[in-house]
Amino acid sequence: MVIFESHNIDLAHEDEKSALIQWRQEGVAWSQRLAYKTGGIYYPLINASHQLFFEYPESVIEVVLARHRAQ
């Protein structure tokens, strides 16, 4: 289960939550399509926000190194 931006959704007003969940689902689908179309790799991260470079630097490095090795 992808829980991207779950912290912000948890803090949102009840009347905003369903729209935010739909936004998250659409964003995940878009990211997956983009990775597929560009020959990239989609890595779902648990409880990430838009600051993933700071929150998950090890994962970012792992992805970059994996792509480099694959070339």
Side-chain angles (χ1 to χ4, degrees), residues 45 51-64:
L45 297 172
Q51 300 296 319
L52 70 101
F53 290 101
F54 300 105
E55 295 172 343
Y56 295 95
E58 300 85 11
S59 295
V60 174
I61 292 168
E62 179 183 321
V63 170
V64 171

Side-chain angles (χ1 to χ4, degrees), residues 3-47:
I3 51 175
F4 177 72
E5 295 285 4
S6 63
H7 178 72
N8 292 333
I9 293 172
D10 289 343
L11 296 176
H13 293 282
E14 286 301 318
D15 59 338
E16 299 172 329
K17 286 185 180 186
S18 63
L20 289 172
I21 291 168
Q22 180 179 351
W23 166 78
R24 176 177 59 193
Q25 292 169 338
E26 291 169 358
V28 167
W30 179 85
S31 296
Q32 290 171 331
R33 284 192 309 273
L34 180 64
Y36 174 77
K37 288 181 179 182
T38 61
I41 303 167
Y42 177 78
Y43 284 94
L45 297 172
I46 303 301
N47 203 21

